[in-house]
Amino acid sequence: MSRYTYRLIASDGMARRSELTTAHGLVKTPAFMPVGTQGTVKAMYTDQVRATGADVVLGNTYHLMLRPGAERVARLGGLHRFMNWPHTILTDSGGFQVMSLAQLRKLDETGVKFRSHLDGSEHVLTPERSIEIQGLLGADIQMQLDECIRLPASEDEVARAMRLSLAWAERSKAAFAAMGGPEKGQGLHGIVQGGDVKSLRIESARELAAMDFGGYSIGGLAVGEPQDVMLDMLETTLPELPETKPRYLMGVGTPEDIVESVARGVDMFDCVLPTRAGRHGLAYTRFGKINLKNARHADDPRPLDETSNCPAARDYSRAYLHHLVKAGEALSMMLLTWNNLAYYQSLMAGMREAISAGTFAGFREETLAGWARGDIAPHVP
Amino acid sequence: MSRYTYRLIASDGMARRSELTTAHGLVKTPAFMPVGTQGTVKAMYTDQVRATGADVVLGNTYHLMLRPGAERVARLGGLHRFMNWPHTILTDSGGFQVMSLAQLRKLDETGVKFRSHLDGSEHVLTPERSIEIQGLLGADIQMQLDECIRLPASEDEVARAMRLSLAWAERSKAAFAAMGGPEKGQGLHGIVQGGDVKSLRIESARELAAMDFGGYSIGGLAVGEPQDVMLDMLETTLPELPETKPRYLMGVGTPEDIVESVARGVDMFDCVLPTRAGRHGLAYTRFGKINLKNARHADDPRPLDETSNCPAARDYSRAYLHHLVKAGEALSMMLLTWNNLAYYQSLMAGMREAISAGTFAGFREETLAGWARGDIAPHVP
């Protein structure tokens, strides 16, 4: 069984290209991880997800613990087998969604008590239970339980949540060791908190670095603050983290967020944006976002991007996609989600190649220029 | 360009195995045609539909004329290109759905005037306009406009609708010739009506046979009457139709309806049942229908059918499918629709082989016994 390890392959400025090894394969970074909330990347077959270039998908502990239940998934052979994804799986701790979805939350130093948004049943999530659940799911890369607060927040509140998260980091690490995570080749990430307060971000990163986690996540960003604040926090935080470990910016983001974060040294990303947008008629392309609901596509015979190697981008006219969106057909979600994940993965592959070639700055400039240029004018028959 | 032709390959009792040639390929019969109402077989990629064994899909004239519009589809290169299905397409006349979906219908000898169920806009469908639309879509196999009434109905009413349909058959055939359908290798079906009145069915079939259509459809069945009435009408009607032309039983049906109708000499079928059931948590298998909503599947690690060559039936546990259905995930519709179409096609392939081998009676008996036996008892872990 492989251990969770990080190997640097190339760097260009602060941008890094690397390979993570997990018990279920290699993860090429910079990596984008499609979100498989309830044990499925919505509207996608797993072999399609894989073919877009994804090495890892994310599962949500909160959702899976409530339905179908972690013990049940374990009895059925673990999440990999359950969802038919034999490659790497990363899980979050459940904490973020307890805060955003659950009812009647009560948080103290022990953990958080809440009621399910599905049926009102009562549940408790502690650092230990979160690690236990992630172990039952069989996640290759696991997250400590943390408290993620929305910005803006007072500095006192940010400091309290950050220090609680540090205490939970210790307990998570102990639980992970006690439950045999390392022997199973699994890895555990500590999560940097500290809101938009530089000194707190630095304190959090240093304390976590001293605990020697398998990897480090940056939490509590992309929660309402402007992009420049997020990038500023990355510039403050990343130098405090060990260079020999992966860095994962949680819940980010737009293609531009991702390029700018890679430029600052982030290795891993996840976001619902490409999948959610695909279910709402939006396509991500080299020329920015295309809203297929717009009537200007109704007679346009061109595909989304004839140079793409994704069939969804290449083999269907915009007129057809517009029709499917207007008609509310499932195929519109299937094709646009596919296109979006393929575009995100091609963006990551482009960055990996550029980092190896030492041309990341040029790639970034060209990519931003493509988005700025916008979609090409529709063909008039 | 190939012409629409029928070639008998084998027969066994009244059951026939044959090959239809169209401008877009061969159609092996007995054939099941998945329904692609709005230019998509719901929740399926076209290459998956093809891989299940489908040689032909159905498009709905009523839906496509309203959205995206037949003239638009023609400008975009026809329905084959629009929906990325390069194989045979059959279209209905639009009449059936005008009766079931449209508002404020007004029918006379000329045709039918109605308001769209989408936006209330006014449209007229005549035999000539229906053929024009089907030609604009580029359908390989087209249907005359007919009047299909619900059963039970009075004999007078059945007779009136049947005779109106005969008059429209003449006009449809003339329009089809005038618009160059035969030169494009397309085929036109006359539609037998006559409700549950044997003498009217016979009159309809004889009159249509005399008009020499490319094929014959049996309409107005599976509209509320018991199965034995439907089969009785088939036994009455089919002997009146030329043996050298395909016979299509419209809108039928359950696996059992299909086996019983093949036994009586029907060649072609279409039905929304496998696709619609798949979107509602129901799987068709060798052992009958399985309702994945049922809690008894929650811990069942077995696939739907490990002997199937369809990944949806083979690579996912019933527990996972149950979870997806309960969670309302798009993948549940995708996998169950896929399974159902694959099962229907395997049933058709089994009948074709049995007819060639002269073992149709045994195949039929064995198949009915499998359904009667029901789903195997769940595994208790």
Side-chain angles (χ1 to χ4, degrees), chain B residues 102-327:
Chain B
Q103 300 160 332
L104 295 170
R105 298 179 299 275
K106 193 167 166 274
L107 181 135
D108 61 22
E109 304 235 322
T110 327
V112 55
K113 192 185 284 187
F114 63 94
R115 287 189 184 278
S116 161
H117 73 292
L118 296 174
D119 61 5
S121 58
E122 198 171 280
H123 298 263
V124 175
L125 204 58
T126 62
E128 293 77 16
R129 177 61 182 156
S130 173
I131 294 296
E132 184 182 15
I133 291 170
Q134 296 180 72
L136 287 164
L137 297 173
D140 299 293
I141 311 174
Q142 305 179 14
M143 296 298 124
Q144 70 150 101
L145 188 66
D146 62 341
E147 187 190 355
C148 175
I149 57 172
R150 294 212 170 272
L151 299 180
S154 74
E155 188 167 332
D156 278 0
E157 175 65 2
V158 172
R160 185 203 54 74
M162 183 274 281
R163 293 198 181 109
L164 179 64
S165 297
L166 281 180
W168 286 1
E170 289 268 12
R171 286 168 52 190
S172 298
K173 189 153 189 282
F176 182 71
M179 291 171 202
E183 288 71 36
K184 293 178 207 146
Q186 297 165 345
L188 178 66
H189 278 217
I191 303 182
V192 178
Q193 291 288 354
D196 51 1
V197 184
K198 288 189 186 188
S199 59
L200 295 177
R201 286 271 165 195
I202 290 169
E203 178 184 340
S204 175
R206 285 183 183 167
E207 293 283 332
L208 290 168
M211 291 183 213
D212 192 25
F213 278 92
Y216 293 88
S217 302
I218 323 293
L221 293 178
V223 289
E225 80 286 1
Q227 193 200 44
D228 61 339
V229 173
M230 180 182 87
L231 297 177
D232 200 18
M233 288 303 119
L234 288 180
E235 287 168 11
T236 302
T237 302
L238 296 181
E240 304 298 332
L241 295 172
E243 288 191 359
T244 57
K245 296 293 172 65
R247 302 159 178 176
Y248 160 33
L249 179 55
M250 305 181 80
V252 172
T254 65
E256 192 185 333
D257 286 338
I258 291 176
V259 170
E260 293 305 321
S261 300
V262 167
R264 286 158 178 84
V266 175
D267 303 305
M268 303 159 71
F269 303 87
D270 80 285
C271 191
V272 296
L273 201 57
T275 39
R276 182 172 291 165
R279 298 197 302 283
H280 291 89
L282 293 171
Y284 282 93
T285 75
R286 289 183 295 144
F287 304 113
K289 222 159 52 172
I290 300 178
N291 183 350
L292 271 312
K293 287 194 288 282
N294 196 307
R296 76 186 170 93
H297 303 294
D299 285 294
D300 193 336
R302 296 172 306 149
L304 286 172
D305 184 351
E306 69 286 353
T307 70
S308 172
N309 56 14
C310 174
R314 199 188 52 205
D315 298 345
Y316 302 85
S317 65
R318 296 175 191 213
Y320 183 62
L321 296 171
H322 170 75
H323 166 66
L324 293 178
V325 170
K326 295 297 282 185

Side-chain angles (χ1 to χ4, degrees), chain A residues 67-81:
Chain A
R67 184 176 58 196
E71 278 74 10
R72 170 172 286 144
V73 173
R75 282 197 303 273
L76 290 161
L79 187 56
H80 295 83
R81 182 187 297 182

Side-chain angles (χ1 to χ4, degrees), chain A residues 38-39 42 75 320 323 329, chain B residues 38-39 42 299 320 323 329:
Chain A
Q38 305 193 98
K42 289 185 192 297
R75 282 197 303 273
Y320 183 62
H323 166 67
E329 284 287 350
Chain B
Q38 305 192 97
K42 288 184 193 298
D299 285 294
Y320 183 62
H323 166 66
E329 284 287 350

Side-chain angles (χ1 to χ4, degrees), chain A residues 160-334:
Chain A
R160 185 202 55 73
M162 182 275 281
R163 293 199 180 105
L164 179 65
S165 296
L166 281 180
W168 287 1
E170 289 270 11
R171 286 168 53 190
S172 298
K173 191 156 186 283
F176 182 70
M179 291 172 203
E183 288 72 35
K184 292 177 209 147
Q186 297 166 345
L188 177 66
H189 278 217
I191 303 183
V192 180
Q193 290 289 352
D196 51 1
V197 185
K198 287 189 185 187
S199 59
L200 295 176
R201 284 273 164 192
I202 290 169
E203 179 185 339
S204 174
R206 285 183 182 164
E207 294 283 333
L208 290 169
M211 293 183 211
D212 191 27
F213 278 92
Y216 294 88
S217 302
I218 324 292
L221 293 178
V223 289
E225 80 288 359
Q227 193 199 44
D228 61 339
V229 173
M230 179 182 89
L231 297 177
D232 201 18
M233 289 302 118
L234 288 180
E235 287 168 12
T236 301
T237 301
L238 296 181
E240 304 298 332
L241 295 173
E243 288 192 359
T244 57
K245 297 289 171 68
R247 302 157 176 177
Y248 160 33
L249 179 55
M250 305 181 79
V252 172
T254 65
E256 193 185 333
D257 286 338
I258 290 176
V259 171
E260 293 305 322
S261 301
V262 167
R264 286 158 177 85
V266 175
D267 304 305
M268 302 159 72
F269 303 87
D270 80 285
C271 192
V272 296
L273 202 56
T275 38
R276 182 172 291 166
R279 298 196 303 282
H280 291 89
L282 293 171
Y284 283 93
T285 74
R286 290 183 295 144
F287 305 115
K289 221 159 52 174
I290 301 178
N291 184 348
L292 271 312
K293 286 193 286 283
N294 196 306
R296 75 187 171 94
H297 304 294
D299 285 295
D300 194 336
R302 294 173 308 148
L304 285 172
D305 185 350
E306 68 286 355
T307 70
S308 172
N309 56 15
C310 173
R314 203 186 51 206
D315 298 345
Y316 302 85
S317 66
R318 296 174 189 213
Y320 183 62
L321 296 170
H322 170 76
H323 166 67
L324 293 178
V325 170
K326 296 297 283 186
E329 284 287 350
L331 189 59
S332 73
M333 306 192 292
M334 294 160 65

